[in-house]
Amino acid sequence: MEKSGKPRLQAKQTMDLNINDDTYNRLSEHGKEQLSMLQTFQQEMTAGICQMDIESQTQIRELRQRVTRAADLSLSAGRGNIEDLTERNRPTVVIQQFKEFACNEQMDFVNEIFAEQGRGSKKNTDMEERIRTFSCSIFSTVFDVARNTEMKYKKIMNEVTSDPIGFTFKSLGYGDHTEPKQPKPKDESVLSKVSCGLTETKCKQPTKTSADANAGPHMDNLMSLLSHYLRATSHEVDLRYIVKVSWDKMYKDEFTIKYSKYIQSFIEKCARLAWMIAVQVPAYEICCSVNHFDPTKHTPMNRQSQRDWRGSTVKIKCYLWPTLMQVKKDGEKRVVAKGEVLI
């Protein structure tokens, strides 16, 4: 069976140059050499055409990829609502989870405390407010730990990729392999001279190589891939460190110790959501420290009339759930989920 595509064309062209044995035997030696040269030339031309076709297809594929990337950049320029819908932990999904957390996990935590304390009339409302305020401060603490962990992780990865050999030496306990320790001379005048010499040595910048000049784009691509990996695994990564550090940061009073089982369980739920938010790009931050009410950032949970809460002079009594904001590249902050407050 003949193969499809170029090989079949090559076989047909080869057959055109073939002659029967009688005709071939009647050719002179010079004719046979000419026929052999023609057949070889035909094979080389056919192989060259096939290679050119492969290269053309490769160039077309690369061009399509570049056009696609350029279109993505053009669409997403200056717009924060462009995202990959195939990504499980994309920003819109995480923002929705943040909004639902106050209605689900936070209220579950409140009900668990109530189940231990019992219910009253007016005291019950006051206690619910205090517990929600307490749970809001818990999430704020956990988010700070998650955000700091993410920043430290990226800083370490940046050091590893920027100076892999140096980082390896330091991690093995060799210290800075480029600057061996110098013994301290006893003579102060000598010490002064040596110190001046060491200062000059430290201040001298290493000569930049071509690899250093090309490190920028590669580093950006690597950090982009790292951010994508952190988002893709944020729903399943081990968060025991964040949970432990968050619990250690909490003030251990009588209430915290009495309900430590429920508090630690709530911290674990907060850690998952906080980590999923912390690894998003662009970055997000929460706010539960602003004292004055802002209708663009806060939702009053105890409002009775428009006159009671409108206006910048109204002070916030406490936060029941923080405000979530997206931090753009230029530093501008955009509210994506209003905080719940009492005024």
Side-chain angles (χ1 to χ4, degrees), residues 19-28 32:
I19 58 178
N20 56 41
D21 293 341
D22 294 338
T23 304
Y24 182 79
N25 292 331
R26 288 197 297 268
L27 291 175
S28 63
K32 293 178 180 179

Side-chain angles (χ1 to χ4, degrees), residues 17 73 121 140 292 343:
L17 292 177
L73 291 175
S121 54
S140 178
H292 293 283
I343 56 177

Side-chain angles (χ1 to χ4, degrees), residues 278-337:
V279 298
Q280 293 295 322
V281 177
Y284 288 79
E285 67 178 33
I286 64 172
C287 178
C288 53
S289 59
V290 177
N291 296 326
H292 293 283
F293 177 79
D294 185 348
T296 63
K297 298 179 180 178
H298 310 116
T299 299
M301 304 306 292
N302 58 340
R303 64 188 182 203
Q304 297 177 353
S305 65
Q306 299 289 348
R307 195 184 327 173
D308 292 334
W309 60 274
R310 284 185 181 267
S312 59
T313 59
V314 178
K315 289 188 176 181
I316 295 176
K317 178 182 176 182
C318 62
Y319 278 81
L320 303 179
W321 193 241
T323 304
L324 181 64
M325 295 181 292
Q326 183 188 65
V327 183
K328 299 182 180 180
K329 291 182 179 180
D330 57 0
E332 182 184 355
K333 298 179 182 180
R334 182 175 67 94
V335 176
V336 296

Side-chain angles (χ1 to χ4, degrees), residues 12 45 65 73 83 89 102 104 108 111 115 122 162 190 204 208 216 219-220 222 251 261 268 270 272 281 314 334 336:
K12 182 179 178 180
M45 287 293 295
Q65 293 175 352
L73 291 175
E83 59 184 32
N89 303 320
N104 298 325
D108 289 343
N111 293 331
K122 186 174 183 300
S162 299
V190 177
K204 185 178 180 181
K208 291 187 177 182
M219 182 65 68
D220 293 340
L222 180 59
Y251 177 72
K261 178 178 67 174
E268 292 178 1
C270 290
R272 180 62 59 190
V281 177
V314 178
R334 182 175 67 94
V336 296

